[in-house]
Short mmCIF file of all heavy atoms in Angstrom, two decimals:
data_model
loop_
_atom_site.label_atom_id
_atom_site.label_comp_id
_atom_site.label_asym_id
_atom_site.label_seq_id
_atom_site.Cartn_x
_atom_site.Cartn_y
_atom_site.Cartn_z
N MET A 317 -2.23 -32.47 28.03
CA MET A 317 -2.10 -33.49 27.02
C MET A 317 -3.42 -33.85 26.42
O MET A 317 -3.89 -34.95 26.57
CB MET A 317 -1.39 -34.76 27.45
CG MET A 317 -0.07 -34.51 28.11
SD MET A 317 1.10 -33.95 26.89
CE MET A 317 2.55 -33.73 27.92
N ALA A 318 -4.14 -32.89 25.86
CA ALA A 318 -5.45 -33.15 25.48
C ALA A 318 -5.93 -32.30 24.28
O ALA A 318 -5.16 -31.38 23.92
CB ALA A 318 -6.40 -32.89 26.66
N LYS A 319 -7.02 -32.78 23.76
CA LYS A 319 -7.63 -32.07 22.69
C LYS A 319 -8.38 -30.82 23.23
O LYS A 319 -8.93 -30.91 24.35
CB LYS A 319 -8.60 -32.98 21.94
CG LYS A 319 -8.95 -32.51 20.58
CD LYS A 319 -9.43 -33.56 19.68
CE LYS A 319 -9.51 -32.98 18.35
NZ LYS A 319 -9.70 -33.99 17.24
N VAL A 320 -8.18 -29.72 22.66
CA VAL A 320 -8.87 -28.55 23.11
C VAL A 320 -9.57 -27.76 22.03
O VAL A 320 -9.33 -28.22 20.93
CB VAL A 320 -7.74 -27.43 23.71
CG1 VAL A 320 -7.04 -28.11 25.02
CG2 VAL A 320 -6.67 -27.13 22.65
N PRO A 321 -10.40 -26.91 22.27
CA PRO A 321 -11.08 -26.17 21.19
C PRO A 321 -10.14 -25.53 20.32
O PRO A 321 -9.02 -25.09 20.77
CB PRO A 321 -11.97 -25.20 21.96
CG PRO A 321 -12.18 -25.75 23.28
CD PRO A 321 -10.89 -26.41 23.60
N ALA A 322 -10.43 -25.50 19.02
CA ALA A 322 -9.39 -24.91 18.13
C ALA A 322 -9.07 -23.55 18.39
O ALA A 322 -9.85 -22.71 18.90
CB ALA A 322 -10.09 -24.90 16.65
N TYR A 323 -7.83 -23.27 18.24
CA TYR A 323 -7.28 -21.90 18.44
C TYR A 323 -6.20 -21.61 17.42
O TYR A 323 -5.69 -22.47 16.78
CB TYR A 323 -6.70 -21.83 19.88
CG TYR A 323 -5.48 -22.74 20.17
CD1 TYR A 323 -4.20 -22.22 19.98
CD2 TYR A 323 -5.65 -24.02 20.57
CE1 TYR A 323 -3.02 -23.08 20.25
CE2 TYR A 323 -4.53 -24.79 20.85
CZ TYR A 323 -3.26 -24.32 20.60
OH TYR A 323 -2.12 -25.11 20.90
N HIS A 324 -6.05 -20.36 17.29
CA HIS A 324 -5.00 -19.82 16.34
C HIS A 324 -4.59 -18.49 16.78
O HIS A 324 -5.08 -17.97 17.76
CB HIS A 324 -5.66 -19.79 14.93
CG HIS A 324 -6.82 -18.73 14.74
ND1 HIS A 324 -7.97 -19.00 15.28
CD2 HIS A 324 -6.71 -17.45 14.28
CE1 HIS A 324 -8.76 -17.86 15.08
NE2 HIS A 324 -8.02 -16.95 14.46
N THR A 325 -3.80 -17.78 16.04
CA THR A 325 -3.41 -16.47 16.31
C THR A 325 -3.39 -15.56 15.18
O THR A 325 -2.93 -16.08 14.04
CB THR A 325 -2.04 -16.35 17.11
OG1 THR A 325 -1.86 -14.96 17.50
CG2 THR A 325 -0.88 -16.81 16.27
N ASN A 326 -3.69 -14.29 15.31
CA ASN A 326 -3.56 -13.34 14.26
C ASN A 326 -2.60 -12.29 14.71
O ASN A 326 -2.54 -11.19 14.05
CB ASN A 326 -4.87 -12.77 13.83
CG ASN A 326 -5.71 -13.74 12.99
OD1 ASN A 326 -5.23 -14.37 12.11
ND2 ASN A 326 -6.99 -13.85 13.34
N SER A 327 -2.03 -12.52 15.88
CA SER A 327 -1.20 -11.40 16.44
C SER A 327 0.05 -11.08 15.57
O SER A 327 0.74 -11.95 15.11
CB SER A 327 -0.72 -11.80 17.81
OG SER A 327 0.23 -10.87 18.26
N MET A 328 0.25 -9.82 15.29
CA MET A 328 1.41 -9.44 14.45
C MET A 328 2.64 -9.54 15.30
O MET A 328 3.76 -9.46 14.81
CB MET A 328 1.26 -7.96 14.09
CG MET A 328 0.07 -7.80 13.07
SD MET A 328 0.08 -8.98 11.64
CE MET A 328 1.24 -8.07 10.58
N GLU A 329 2.58 -9.83 16.62
CA GLU A 329 3.74 -10.11 17.41
C GLU A 329 4.25 -11.48 17.28
O GLU A 329 5.39 -11.84 17.70
CB GLU A 329 3.42 -9.81 18.86
CG GLU A 329 3.17 -8.34 19.14
CD GLU A 329 2.68 -8.23 20.62
OE1 GLU A 329 3.27 -8.79 21.60
OE2 GLU A 329 1.62 -7.50 20.78
N GLU A 330 3.41 -12.38 16.58
CA GLU A 330 3.82 -13.74 16.38
C GLU A 330 4.52 -13.81 14.97
O GLU A 330 4.07 -13.09 14.07
CB GLU A 330 2.62 -14.67 16.41
CG GLU A 330 1.95 -14.76 17.77
CD GLU A 330 2.78 -15.44 18.88
OE1 GLU A 330 3.76 -16.03 18.46
OE2 GLU A 330 2.49 -15.30 20.03
N PRO A 331 5.48 -14.75 14.80
CA PRO A 331 6.09 -14.93 13.51
C PRO A 331 4.99 -15.34 12.44
O PRO A 331 4.02 -16.04 12.86
CB PRO A 331 7.08 -16.01 13.69
CG PRO A 331 7.22 -16.20 15.12
CD PRO A 331 6.05 -15.65 15.81
N PRO A 332 5.19 -14.99 11.21
CA PRO A 332 4.17 -15.30 10.18
C PRO A 332 3.90 -16.86 10.18
O PRO A 332 2.68 -17.22 10.07
CB PRO A 332 4.80 -14.98 8.84
CG PRO A 332 5.84 -13.94 9.25
CD PRO A 332 6.31 -14.23 10.67
N LYS A 333 4.77 -17.77 10.46
CA LYS A 333 4.52 -19.16 10.44
C LYS A 333 3.56 -19.53 11.46
O LYS A 333 2.74 -20.43 11.28
CB LYS A 333 5.89 -19.89 10.67
CG LYS A 333 5.91 -21.28 10.33
CD LYS A 333 7.32 -21.77 10.39
CE LYS A 333 7.36 -23.37 10.12
NZ LYS A 333 6.88 -24.14 11.26
N ASN A 334 3.50 -18.88 12.56
CA ASN A 334 2.58 -19.13 13.68
C ASN A 334 1.16 -18.72 13.30
O ASN A 334 0.23 -19.15 13.97
CB ASN A 334 2.95 -18.45 14.94
CG ASN A 334 4.26 -19.06 15.65
OD1 ASN A 334 4.91 -19.94 15.01
ND2 ASN A 334 4.60 -18.58 16.80
N ARG A 335 1.05 -17.82 12.30
CA ARG A 335 -0.27 -17.32 11.93
C ARG A 335 -0.88 -18.14 10.78
O ARG A 335 -2.04 -17.78 10.43
CB ARG A 335 -0.12 -15.84 11.47
CG ARG A 335 0.03 -14.89 12.68
CD ARG A 335 0.05 -13.41 12.22
NE ARG A 335 1.37 -12.87 12.32
CZ ARG A 335 2.02 -12.20 11.32
NH1 ARG A 335 1.45 -12.14 10.19
NH2 ARG A 335 3.24 -11.71 11.48
N GLU A 336 -0.13 -19.05 10.24
CA GLU A 336 -0.68 -19.85 9.10
C GLU A 336 -1.63 -20.98 9.39
O GLU A 336 -2.29 -21.42 8.47
CB GLU A 336 0.53 -20.40 8.27
CG GLU A 336 1.28 -19.32 7.53
CD GLU A 336 2.53 -19.87 6.93
OE1 GLU A 336 2.82 -21.07 7.05
OE2 GLU A 336 3.32 -19.04 6.28
N VAL A 337 -1.59 -21.47 10.59
CA VAL A 337 -2.47 -22.72 10.87
C VAL A 337 -3.17 -22.48 12.12
O VAL A 337 -3.00 -21.59 12.92
CB VAL A 337 -1.43 -23.96 11.07
CG1 VAL A 337 -0.77 -24.26 9.68
CG2 VAL A 337 -0.49 -23.73 12.19
N HIS A 338 -4.14 -23.44 12.39
CA HIS A 338 -4.81 -23.56 13.73
C HIS A 338 -4.38 -24.82 14.41
O HIS A 338 -3.94 -25.75 13.77
CB HIS A 338 -6.28 -23.39 13.54
CG HIS A 338 -6.99 -24.66 13.11
ND1 HIS A 338 -7.27 -24.98 11.84
CD2 HIS A 338 -7.52 -25.64 13.82
CE1 HIS A 338 -7.86 -26.20 11.77
NE2 HIS A 338 -8.00 -26.60 13.01
N HIS A 339 -4.59 -24.80 15.67
CA HIS A 339 -4.22 -25.93 16.48
C HIS A 339 -5.37 -26.41 17.39
O HIS A 339 -6.40 -25.66 17.52
CB HIS A 339 -3.17 -25.54 17.55
CG HIS A 339 -1.89 -25.03 16.88
ND1 HIS A 339 -0.84 -25.71 16.39
CD2 HIS A 339 -1.63 -23.70 16.58
CE1 HIS A 339 0.03 -24.85 15.82
NE2 HIS A 339 -0.40 -23.67 15.99
N ASP A 340 -5.42 -27.72 17.65
CA ASP A 340 -6.46 -28.21 18.57
C ASP A 340 -5.89 -29.10 19.65
O ASP A 340 -6.67 -30.03 20.13
CB ASP A 340 -7.59 -28.79 17.80
CG ASP A 340 -7.22 -29.98 16.93
OD1 ASP A 340 -6.07 -30.41 17.07
OD2 ASP A 340 -8.04 -30.48 16.12
N ARG A 341 -4.64 -29.03 19.88
CA ARG A 341 -3.98 -29.87 20.88
C ARG A 341 -3.28 -28.81 21.91
O ARG A 341 -2.54 -27.96 21.44
CB ARG A 341 -2.99 -30.82 20.35
CG ARG A 341 -3.59 -31.75 19.37
CD ARG A 341 -4.27 -32.88 20.00
NE ARG A 341 -3.58 -33.56 21.11
CZ ARG A 341 -3.88 -34.65 21.59
NH1 ARG A 341 -4.91 -35.30 21.21
NH2 ARG A 341 -3.22 -35.08 22.62
N ASP A 342 -3.30 -29.10 23.20
CA ASP A 342 -2.63 -28.26 24.09
C ASP A 342 -1.16 -28.72 24.31
O ASP A 342 -0.37 -28.05 24.89
CB ASP A 342 -3.36 -28.03 25.43
CG ASP A 342 -3.41 -29.30 26.22
OD1 ASP A 342 -2.95 -30.41 25.80
OD2 ASP A 342 -3.95 -29.24 27.38
N ASP A 343 -0.87 -29.87 23.67
CA ASP A 343 0.50 -30.41 23.82
C ASP A 343 1.33 -30.25 22.54
O ASP A 343 2.36 -30.91 22.45
CB ASP A 343 0.53 -31.90 24.29
CG ASP A 343 -0.47 -32.80 23.49
OD1 ASP A 343 -1.34 -32.22 22.81
OD2 ASP A 343 -0.30 -34.02 23.59
N CYS A 344 0.74 -29.53 21.62
CA CYS A 344 1.41 -29.28 20.27
C CYS A 344 2.55 -28.25 20.52
O CYS A 344 2.29 -27.19 21.02
CB CYS A 344 0.41 -28.79 19.28
SG CYS A 344 1.25 -28.18 17.81
N PHE A 345 3.78 -28.73 20.20
CA PHE A 345 4.85 -27.73 20.45
C PHE A 345 4.84 -26.61 19.58
O PHE A 345 5.34 -25.49 19.92
CB PHE A 345 6.16 -28.48 20.37
CG PHE A 345 6.77 -28.80 18.95
CD1 PHE A 345 7.50 -27.84 18.36
CD2 PHE A 345 6.44 -29.99 18.41
CE1 PHE A 345 8.00 -28.10 17.04
CE2 PHE A 345 6.94 -30.25 17.17
CZ PHE A 345 7.69 -29.35 16.44
N GLU A 346 4.24 -26.69 18.45
CA GLU A 346 4.03 -25.46 17.54
C GLU A 346 3.04 -24.52 18.12
O GLU A 346 3.23 -23.33 18.20
CB GLU A 346 3.57 -25.90 16.06
CG GLU A 346 4.60 -26.61 15.24
CD GLU A 346 5.76 -25.69 14.86
OE1 GLU A 346 5.61 -24.47 14.94
OE2 GLU A 346 6.77 -26.22 14.37
N GLY A 347 1.98 -25.15 18.69
CA GLY A 347 0.91 -24.31 19.34
C GLY A 347 1.53 -23.62 20.57
O GLY A 347 1.12 -22.50 20.92
N LYS A 348 2.41 -24.29 21.23
CA LYS A 348 3.00 -23.81 22.45
C LYS A 348 3.89 -22.52 22.23
O LYS A 348 4.19 -21.76 23.14
CB LYS A 348 3.84 -24.79 23.23
CG LYS A 348 3.04 -25.77 24.03
CD LYS A 348 3.95 -26.83 24.66
CE LYS A 348 3.13 -27.75 25.45
NZ LYS A 348 3.88 -28.89 25.93
N LYS A 349 4.26 -22.37 20.95
CA LYS A 349 5.16 -21.20 20.59
C LYS A 349 4.23 -19.93 20.61
O LYS A 349 4.75 -18.83 20.74
CB LYS A 349 5.63 -21.35 19.22
CG LYS A 349 6.73 -22.44 19.11
CD LYS A 349 7.28 -22.54 17.69
CE LYS A 349 8.22 -23.68 17.46
NZ LYS A 349 8.51 -23.89 16.11
N ILE A 350 2.94 -20.17 20.48
CA ILE A 350 2.05 -18.93 20.57
C ILE A 350 1.74 -18.55 22.02
O ILE A 350 1.33 -19.48 22.80
CB ILE A 350 0.68 -19.26 19.91
CG1 ILE A 350 0.89 -19.75 18.41
CG2 ILE A 350 -0.27 -18.09 19.95
CD1 ILE A 350 -0.37 -20.25 17.69
N GLU A 351 2.07 -17.38 22.31
CA GLU A 351 1.70 -16.96 23.73
C GLU A 351 0.17 -17.01 23.96
O GLU A 351 -0.61 -16.62 23.14
CB GLU A 351 2.14 -15.49 23.86
CG GLU A 351 3.69 -15.34 24.04
CD GLU A 351 4.04 -13.94 24.45
OE1 GLU A 351 3.58 -13.49 25.51
OE2 GLU A 351 4.81 -13.30 23.71
N LYS A 352 -0.12 -17.48 25.14
CA LYS A 352 -1.57 -17.68 25.52
C LYS A 352 -2.44 -16.43 25.29
O LYS A 352 -3.53 -16.44 24.85
CB LYS A 352 -1.78 -18.13 26.97
CG LYS A 352 -1.59 -19.57 27.12
CD LYS A 352 -2.89 -20.36 27.24
CE LYS A 352 -2.91 -21.82 27.02
NZ LYS A 352 -2.16 -22.63 28.03
N LYS A 353 -1.75 -15.21 25.56
CA LYS A 353 -2.46 -13.98 25.48
C LYS A 353 -2.80 -13.63 23.97
O LYS A 353 -3.60 -12.79 23.66
CB LYS A 353 -1.71 -12.84 26.12
CG LYS A 353 -0.38 -12.51 25.42
CD LYS A 353 0.30 -11.25 26.05
CE LYS A 353 1.61 -10.95 25.39
NZ LYS A 353 2.37 -9.88 25.85
N HIS A 354 -2.15 -14.40 23.07
CA HIS A 354 -2.40 -14.14 21.67
C HIS A 354 -3.34 -15.21 21.05
O HIS A 354 -3.64 -15.04 19.87
CB HIS A 354 -1.05 -14.22 20.82
CG HIS A 354 -0.16 -13.10 21.14
ND1 HIS A 354 1.23 -13.19 21.07
CD2 HIS A 354 -0.37 -11.84 21.59
CE1 HIS A 354 1.84 -12.02 21.34
NE2 HIS A 354 0.83 -11.24 21.74
N TRP A 355 -3.78 -16.11 21.80
CA TRP A 355 -4.72 -17.12 21.38
C TRP A 355 -6.04 -16.44 20.95
O TRP A 355 -6.59 -15.64 21.67
CB TRP A 355 -4.99 -18.10 22.44
CG TRP A 355 -3.99 -19.17 22.60
CD1 TRP A 355 -2.66 -19.01 22.43
CD2 TRP A 355 -4.21 -20.50 23.10
NE1 TRP A 355 -2.01 -20.26 22.72
CE2 TRP A 355 -2.99 -21.12 23.10
CE3 TRP A 355 -5.31 -21.24 23.53
CZ2 TRP A 355 -2.75 -22.44 23.54
CZ3 TRP A 355 -5.15 -22.55 24.01
CH2 TRP A 355 -3.82 -23.13 24.05
N GLU A 356 -6.58 -16.94 19.83
CA GLU A 356 -7.93 -16.54 19.47
C GLU A 356 -8.69 -17.93 19.22
O GLU A 356 -8.13 -18.84 18.66
CB GLU A 356 -8.01 -15.72 18.20
CG GLU A 356 -7.35 -14.33 18.44
CD GLU A 356 -7.43 -13.46 17.18
OE1 GLU A 356 -8.37 -13.50 16.48
OE2 GLU A 356 -6.37 -12.79 16.94
N MET A 357 -9.98 -17.94 19.58
CA MET A 357 -10.76 -19.19 19.45
C MET A 357 -11.10 -19.43 18.03
O MET A 357 -11.25 -18.51 17.25
CB MET A 357 -11.99 -18.99 20.25
CG MET A 357 -11.80 -19.16 21.81
SD MET A 357 -11.15 -20.84 22.09
CE MET A 357 -9.55 -20.45 22.94
N GLY A 358 -11.26 -20.74 17.69
CA GLY A 358 -11.71 -21.11 16.32
C GLY A 358 -10.53 -21.35 15.42
O GLY A 358 -9.38 -21.16 15.80
N THR A 359 -10.89 -21.86 14.22
CA THR A 359 -9.83 -22.11 13.27
C THR A 359 -9.32 -20.95 12.53
O THR A 359 -8.26 -21.08 11.79
CB THR A 359 -10.39 -23.22 12.29
OG1 THR A 359 -11.41 -22.55 11.48
CG2 THR A 359 -10.96 -24.39 12.98
N GLY A 360 -10.12 -19.85 12.50
CA GLY A 360 -9.67 -18.74 11.66
C GLY A 360 -9.58 -19.07 10.18
O GLY A 360 -8.88 -18.36 9.39
N ASN A 361 -10.21 -20.10 9.77
CA ASN A 361 -10.22 -20.61 8.41
C ASN A 361 -8.84 -21.02 7.93
O ASN A 361 -8.44 -20.84 6.71
CB ASN A 361 -10.88 -19.56 7.42
CG ASN A 361 -12.40 -19.49 7.53
OD1 ASN A 361 -12.97 -20.52 7.74
ND2 ASN A 361 -12.88 -18.36 7.42
N LYS A 362 -8.04 -21.32 8.94
CA LYS A 362 -6.63 -21.77 8.57
C LYS A 362 -6.58 -23.33 8.61
O LYS A 362 -7.36 -23.95 9.29
CB LYS A 362 -5.65 -21.23 9.62
CG LYS A 362 -5.77 -19.65 9.69
CD LYS A 362 -5.01 -19.24 10.90
CE LYS A 362 -5.42 -17.78 11.22
NZ LYS A 362 -4.39 -16.80 11.04
N PRO A 363 -5.65 -23.88 7.80
CA PRO A 363 -5.52 -25.30 7.84
C PRO A 363 -5.06 -25.81 9.23
O PRO A 363 -4.45 -25.04 9.95
CB PRO A 363 -4.50 -25.59 6.77
CG PRO A 363 -3.74 -24.36 6.49
CD PRO A 363 -4.72 -23.18 6.84
N ARG A 364 -5.31 -27.06 9.52
CA ARG A 364 -4.92 -27.63 10.77
C ARG A 364 -3.42 -27.92 10.76
O ARG A 364 -2.84 -28.42 9.84
CB ARG A 364 -5.75 -28.97 10.95
CG ARG A 364 -5.58 -29.48 12.33
CD ARG A 364 -6.54 -30.67 12.61
NE ARG A 364 -6.36 -31.32 13.90
CZ ARG A 364 -6.40 -32.62 14.14
NH1 ARG A 364 -6.70 -33.47 13.08
NH2 ARG A 364 -6.22 -33.05 15.23
N CYS A 365 -2.74 -27.60 11.91
CA CYS A 365 -1.39 -27.75 12.06
C CYS A 365 -0.95 -29.27 11.93
O CYS A 365 -1.67 -30.15 12.37
CB CYS A 365 -1.08 -27.30 13.52
SG CYS A 365 0.36 -27.95 14.25
N LYS A 366 0.14 -29.51 11.26
CA LYS A 366 0.63 -30.77 10.96
C LYS A 366 0.93 -31.52 12.23
O LYS A 366 0.87 -32.73 12.34
CB LYS A 366 1.82 -30.78 10.08
CG LYS A 366 1.49 -30.42 8.62
CD LYS A 366 2.63 -30.72 7.74
CE LYS A 366 2.22 -30.60 6.18
NZ LYS A 366 1.99 -29.15 5.92
N GLU A 367 1.46 -30.84 13.22
CA GLU A 367 1.84 -31.49 14.52
C GLU A 367 0.57 -31.99 15.24
O GLU A 367 0.60 -33.04 15.81
CB GLU A 367 2.62 -30.54 15.43
CG GLU A 367 4.15 -30.28 15.02
CD GLU A 367 4.89 -31.69 14.93
OE1 GLU A 367 4.72 -32.44 15.74
OE2 GLU A 367 5.57 -31.84 13.89
N CYS A 368 -0.47 -31.09 15.18
CA CYS A 368 -1.70 -31.52 15.85
C CYS A 368 -2.24 -32.77 15.17
O CYS A 368 -2.85 -33.60 15.78
CB CYS A 368 -2.71 -30.37 15.67
SG CYS A 368 -2.39 -29.03 16.83
N ILE A 369 -2.14 -32.82 13.79
CA ILE A 369 -2.62 -34.01 13.08
C ILE A 369 -1.88 -35.24 13.58
O ILE A 369 -2.46 -36.28 13.84
CB ILE A 369 -2.42 -33.83 11.58
CG1 ILE A 369 -3.47 -32.76 11.05
CG2 ILE A 369 -2.73 -35.15 10.86
CD1 ILE A 369 -3.20 -32.27 9.65
N LYS A 370 -0.55 -35.16 13.71
CA LYS A 370 0.32 -36.26 14.13
C LYS A 370 -0.09 -36.66 15.58
O LYS A 370 -0.12 -37.86 15.92
CB LYS A 370 1.80 -35.78 14.14
CG LYS A 370 2.58 -36.30 13.03
CD LYS A 370 4.02 -36.17 13.31
CE LYS A 370 4.58 -35.02 12.50
NZ LYS A 370 5.97 -34.69 12.81
N LEU A 371 -0.50 -35.69 16.45
CA LEU A 371 -0.73 -36.04 17.75
C LEU A 371 -2.18 -36.62 17.87
O LEU A 371 -2.58 -37.18 18.90
CB LEU A 371 -0.72 -34.73 18.64
CG LEU A 371 0.70 -34.15 18.97
CD1 LEU A 371 0.60 -32.75 19.42
CD2 LEU A 371 1.49 -35.03 19.87
N GLY A 372 -2.91 -36.44 16.85
CA GLY A 372 -4.30 -36.97 16.78
C GLY A 372 -5.32 -36.01 17.24
O GLY A 372 -6.37 -36.34 17.79
ZN1 ZN B 1010 -0.53 -27.61 16.39
#
């Protein structure tokens, strides 16, 4: 339940929706849909996930 360094995914194995944003919370349920092995560090120049914004 914490803030983590920004992560995103560019994996083609993930649905397009998962590739549109970056996350910075490890308790974000949208972020949890991304398999850990598909995580890439940084924002990827993607907007911040709305769920992460809500979580703070
Ligand atoms: Zn998120």
Side-chain angles (χ1 to χ4, degrees):
M317 304 294 177
K319 202 153 185 166
V320 295
Y323 64 94
H324 66 282
T325 186
N326 286 316
S327 173
M328 295 309 278
E329 289 173 49
E330 298 289 346
K333 200 168 173 286
N334 288 8
R335 284 185 251 126
E336 288 173 359
V337 295
H338 79 268
H339 306 272
D340 60 7
R341 300 284 310 192
D342 66 359
D343 49 346
C344 172
F345 77 89
E346 291 290 347
K348 279 180 181 169
K349 291 180 187 170
I350 302 172
E351 284 188 59
K352 275 257 163 72
K353 66 176 179 181
H354 292 155
W355 280 29
E356 292 181 41
M357 285 297 121
T359 65
N361 286 324
K362 300 166 202 253
R364 193 171 173 219
C365 156
K366 288 194 170 66
E367 285 305 314
C368 287
I369 292 169
K370 258 194 254 172
L371 291 165

